[in-house]
Amino acid sequence: MPFHWSIHQLTEYLVRVSQPSEEAIAIRVALEEALDALNAELGIVVVEGELRAEVGFGRQDIPSEFLAPVRDNDEVELPGLGMAHLAQSDLDEAGTGRKGSKGRMVVARLGKELDAEELQLLHGMALALGLVLHNLETLRAERARHLLVVTLLAIQKAISARRPLDELLDAITEGAWELLDGCPVALLLNDPSSPGLLHPHSLERYPGFDDEAMANARSTLATNLSTFGQGDRAGDQQDRRFFCAPVVVSGETAGCLITKVDQPASGRHDQGELLTAFAQQVSLALTDARTVDAVRKASRDPITGLANRASFLQRLEHERQLALEGDAALTVLFVDLDRFKAVNDTLGHGAGDDLLAEVGARIKSCARTSDLVARLGGDEFAVALLNAGVKTGRAVAARIVRALGLPFVVSTREVLIGASVGIAGLAARHEDASAIVSDADIAMYRAKRSGRGRWTVFEPFMQAEVADKLSLATDLQRLATSGQVWLAYQPIVALASGRLEGAEALMRWSHPTRGPVPPSVFIPLAEETDAILELGAYAIARALEELATLNDGQKNLRLSLNISARQLLDGSLGQVMKQALVASHVSPELLILEITESLLIKDPDLARARLGSLKELGLSLAIDDFGTGYSSLKYLRQFPVDQVKVDRSFIAALRRDADDDIAIARSIIELCHRLRVETVAEGIETAEQLELLTELGCDLGQGYLFAAPMAPRDWARWQGARQPSLAAAG
Ligand code: C2E
Ligand code: MG
Ligand code: MG
């Protein structure tokens, strides 16, 4: 057989073998062509120890001689065929370093031996197949790498798009499953709620792990998790059926991605590497989800789910800059609940939290979805209306006041709370977001003072008021010893007889630069700090001291003293009182302490205890401004009350033709008498009011009709001027 013929034959052979894109076909073509060229009848191809093709007999009937190493022209007796000569060639050239697949081609020819040239041809053909197989392998690896890159990119895109975590984990597991040629893949994650227990994710979708395999894998994982390195293998080490790649989150093993391969690893696929790449994606997805979760938690109010103060201010600052750049409007509403504290105190914090959540939802429903709604803390909420001016602000505020004015149901009870709203539109003076919020806050404060359930738009003069209040508050410190405060006294008269019965001490502040500051301004301010304690103690001592002056000419004048809530609850009041009584020699029976109902509501038990010990000193107790609070009547029975001062608002309404108002005054007076409580009418200004109150049986009265509060030095003059008229009346 001429040599050139075999070169030509070899070239054609190479072309034909390299045409198929599938390994199995290439191998089969190579073997058939080889047998044809060598006039041989039988042959096999083994690659990586695996029988890949056979010609001339069935898979089961291959004689053992074919499978063991063969020397040239070894003889073999084939049943039914006769004697055949064997020859083989490796698919790679061992020792030459040339690339090729590990394997061999074995042929058998009946009868005639293979000559040297034929053996040479077999060798060339086997090498050609080895080369083709190597190229196909490279191509496949290249394709797999490409597919891996495409899949990983898609997953990373999904992670950065913040798809739901479950969806991401499914996509990753599915990607691994596809790239592992359909070998079952499962993601096992440490269940944070029960550490140590592994939670199979997406197992249902990629079945293939039987219970036993899973249990086996799980126990192997549970014991080895912390020590796994990259691409480590777990499971049955002998046939290496399980591959496992750890999922690491913040340096800790959070679980693993596991696959089961049906046959022993051939080394053709690097499952370990592949699985590790996917496990890293799981790590990424989990880390990202945790970060997002942490960020969300840090910026949300846990009770309402709304933005918290910090994140609201941050967003608002961003919107402020956008609005300035685009010359757009921006309006902030500051919402403060009117009676939240009462609910929280009486129904408990759980109920309070439920209420706040519902309040948040209602406020949200009053704004557009693009607006920012936040809980600033406590019972304060804020809404930023984007691209909206103060006009819209008013409309939304009205909606909010209406929505929060409707009853809420908490702990199966219906409660009414209501809200006050301050409105501030973005202005040039606002240097940052908090400046707008602060203006809205000031407006809210004003809305609240003008009566609850209202809204007010901020105006610059309000800022001045606040600054004023601040400077007043500073002046209030050590005011008691400044010589700027003094007491005015207003006469209290028995209505039926016109007799002077007593005096109410009312504090006055003559400010060196501002002039007189009304008590309605400085008393509430002093009540916000401990300044009231000092001022109150001063008033008590001073009034008892001055009572002697007032008493001149009239014995046993009673003295009414106003006591603030903070003073009573502080606990030092009894001591202050005792000291003043001792120093002034005033009989305690002459003293009446006036307190307001709000005090009794705030802490009834403590109030009752404090009032009890004061009464033991022999003092009397009056409820001031009666009728302006909540459930006045209830407190009349619960507390040791001796006197009720009917609020000025009831008295002001009294006229002969005002039947309803007369009826109200009558029922209050009658009820008090039934409970043996003395009645005092505050703010009597007209003779008609005096007449009506006398008819209704009211015991005592005070008001401008008799006298405005006056300094002690004016008292005697007033009394002197009064005597003739008294005498005339008498
Ligand atoms: P109050 O105890 O209800 O005092 C009665 C208020 O009504 C006084 O106001 C008095 O000047 C005013 N008034 C009296 N007659 C009439 C009238 O015919 N018409 C009108 N329109 N008003 C009348 P004032 O002195 O401004 O005191 C306001 C409030 O400040 C007091 O209300 C009291 O709650 C509080 N206050 C005054 N002095 C003290 C004090 O020494 N300690 C405490 N804790 N509070 C005080
Ligand atoms: Mg009073
Ligand atoms: Mg009063």
Side-chain angles (χ1 to χ4, degrees), residues 504 562 594 624 645 682:
E504 177 176 4
N562 292 288
E594 297 189 2
D624 206 350
K645 301 192 78 173
E682 291 185 315

Side-chain angles (χ1 to χ4, degrees), residues 641-703:
V641 177
D642 303 290
Q643 190 182 70
V644 153
K645 301 192 78 173
V646 183
D647 190 66
R648 209 165 61 221
S649 55
F650 293 98
I651 311 305
L654 282 183
R655 278 207 313 269
R656 281 260 170 238
D657 54 0
D659 291 341
D660 289 350
D661 296 310
I662 293 176
I664 292 173
R666 175 183 287 121
S667 60
I668 295 177
I669 292 165
E670 278 178 3
L671 180 92
C672 287
H673 285 168
R674 206 161 295 156
L675 295 169
R676 274 184 271 283
V677 171
E678 195 177 30
T679 49
V680 185
E682 291 185 315
I684 303 176
E685 294 184 355
T686 68
E688 189 181 11
Q689 289 163 353
L690 172 61
E691 234 175 71
L692 280 167
L693 285 161
T694 314
E695 280 171 31
L696 293 174
C698 183
D699 304 302
L700 304 167
Q702 67 185 100

Side-chain angles (χ1 to χ4, degrees), residues 143-198:
R143 258 195 230 123
R145 190 157 301 128
H146 179 70
L147 189 60
L148 179 65
V149 168
V150 168
T151 310
L152 293 183
L153 268 179
I155 290 169
Q156 257 163 24
K157 238 166 132 183
I159 292 176
S160 36
R162 302 267 147 78
R163 303 295 308 157
L165 186 60
D166 269 358
E167 197 180 293
L168 290 174
L169 297 182
D170 270 350
I172 296 169
T173 322
E174 187 164 333
W177 173 74
E178 268 170 16
L179 275 129
L180 284 167
D181 297 329
C183 290
V185 174
L187 176 59
L188 296 161
L189 289 179
N190 250 327
D191 190 343
S193 55
S194 46
L197 243 181
L198 293 160

Side-chain angles (χ1 to χ4, degrees), residues 56-68:
F57 31 52
R59 210 157 238 275
Q60 314 306 329
D61 321 320
I62 299 170
S64 57
E65 288 86 345
F66 279 73
L67 299 173

